[in-house]
Amino acid sequence: MSEPKAVRIREIAPRLTFQDHIAPTEVKVELVRRLVDAGVRAFELSSFVRPDLIKGLADAEEVFAAVRRTPGLHLGCCVGNVRGLARAIDAGADSASFLLSADEDFARANIGRSTKDSLAELERMAAYAADHRVQLGTYVIFAWGGPTGPARGAGELEPLARRLLDLGVDRWILADSSGYAAPPQIRGLVTAALAHIPAENLTVQIHDARGMGLAALLPLLDLGVRNLDTALAGSGGHPAMPGAQGGGICTEDAVQLLELSDVDTGIDLPRLIAAANWLADELGVPGKGFVRRTGPVPDRPGQPLAFRW
């Protein structure tokens, strides 16, 4: 028998959830502790951005300082400029990802500059990172389209991909931030990205706004993508877009699907479900996902059927 496939699940709830829900630092640190206990080893821990705009992440330095480092643990973050990158390096981040938007309207609304100006900032950041011990990559958010525009395809990624390589940035996170992509669209855009960078340099982040999130996972495995971003209990959002479906694909649902597909995640599903329930209780929001409500697919006989007309 061939060796089973494996993926690296990077948990983005510590950033995506708490930019939308303000919570004490100790709650964030406890969430990470529970997830580490469940076997998660890669995190997007916070964002080093303007604390007056993203109040829920104003304690980024404190969270990095409080999380207990263990062997194999990778702590990443988001940054928006050279100042944020410097803060991330000082805090001990292992990696930093620039928030680059493929959607021009969102770029201007979110950070007040165009995609072209954002690339100029990324160029400055790449020069700064070269002199410091940090792995710099970039998001391409709304890579498949949105939030106000139509869907995008592989052809629209090409000029952006070439520009990123010109800057020496070859670690990308493609984010389906609006949940536009079904498997054919996933295949098209990811195939185009893999023509420029190796699979180990590519992370894909699916936001399950339209119910197609889990369907995207298996095509990614076929294409050789092994780095996946997910959010515990499908949590997350953007503070400037209240009510928008901003949550990432549900970690516990993704782990169950992958493991039933003979893909090793290294994550203990019952402990993960317990962490998801704890998070929903702490935030006072119901959270999303199926497996934490219905239970995992059983591997042994269950309780007698409770059934009556």
Side-chain angles (χ1 to χ4, degrees):
M1 294 179 62
S2 61
E3 190 171 326
K5 292 178 290 189
V7 298
R8 184 189 78 151
I9 294 286
R10 189 177 74 137
E11 179 56 63
I12 60 173
R15 191 269 299 183
L16 196 63
T17 301
F18 297 118
Q19 73 177 20
D20 195 39
H21 297 278
I22 295 177
T25 302
E26 54 268 24
V27 170
K28 303 171 186 179
V29 175
E30 175 63 14
L31 171 62
V32 174
R33 186 197 68 76
R34 288 171 182 259
L35 288 168
V36 169
D37 188 52
V40 178
R41 290 295 178 269
F43 292 88
E44 187 171 73
L45 200 57
S46 192
S47 289
F48 291 91
V49 291
R50 285 178 53 179
D52 60 319
L53 292 181
I54 312 291
K55 296 180 175 62
L57 302 180
D59 60 349
E61 280 89 353
E62 289 81 0
V63 173
F64 267 87
V67 168
R68 182 173 175 269
R69 299 291 183 124
T70 58
L73 192 65
H74 184 99
L75 302 181
C77 63
C78 292
V79 291
N81 50 36
V82 173
R83 187 184 309 110
L85 178 60
R87 289 175 59 198
I89 292 169
D90 290 344
D94 298 308
S95 65
S97 299
F98 180 60
L99 289 165
L100 176 67
S101 175
D103 186 274
E104 191 74 35
D105 288 343
F106 183 84
R108 293 181 183 277
N110 192 45
I111 55 176
R113 59 176 178 244
S114 67
T115 300
K116 180 180 178 181
D117 291 340
S118 295
L119 286 166
E121 181 66 25
L122 179 57
E123 185 172 16
R124 290 187 284 270
M125 294 169 65
Y128 188 90
D131 295 328
H132 297 81
R133 294 175 60 88
V134 68
Q135 182 186 99
L136 177 66
T138 187
Y139 269 93
V140 181
I141 60 177
F142 301 108
W144 278 268
T148 59
R152 292 188 178 88
E156 290 157 296
L157 178 68
E158 287 297 318
L160 185 57
R162 290 194 295 270
R163 179 65 178 133
L164 290 173
L165 292 180
D166 288 343
L167 299 180
V169 179
D170 64 353
R171 293 182 179 274
W172 306 343
I173 303 168
L174 295 183
D176 186 13
S177 313
S178 292
Y180 279 6
Q185 290 77 48
I186 291 288
R187 286 185 179 277
L189 198 67
V190 170
T191 298
L194 293 176
H196 296 280
I197 60 172
E200 58 266 25
N201 285 17
L202 182 64
T203 299
V204 177
Q205 182 179 118
I206 306 297
H207 291 238
D208 201 17
R210 289 172 167 80
M212 297 185 287
L214 287 178
L217 294 185
L218 298 184
L220 291 174
L221 300 178
D222 292 341
L223 292 168
V225 176
R226 296 293 181 266
N227 298 309
L228 306 174
D229 281 356
T230 64
L232 192 70
S235 57
H238 194 290
M241 300 171 69
Q245 295 290 323
I249 188 173
C250 181
T251 303
E252 54 274 23
D253 287 355
V255 166
Q256 176 172 250
L257 174 66
L258 291 166
E259 293 187 345
L260 289 174
S261 303
D262 293 325
V263 178
D264 181 28
T265 65
I267 297 174
D268 183 281
L269 184 56
R271 291 183 179 184
L272 190 66
I273 292 170
N277 289 330
W278 173 85
L279 178 63
D281 290 343
E282 282 290 323
L283 297 180
V285 296
K288 299 179 182 178
F290 290 95
V291 67
R292 53 185 287 265
R293 293 185 171 89
T294 61
V297 174
D299 58 3
R300 60 180 62 87
Q303 297 296 320
L305 181 64
F307 180 85
R308 67 178 66 179
W309 287 108

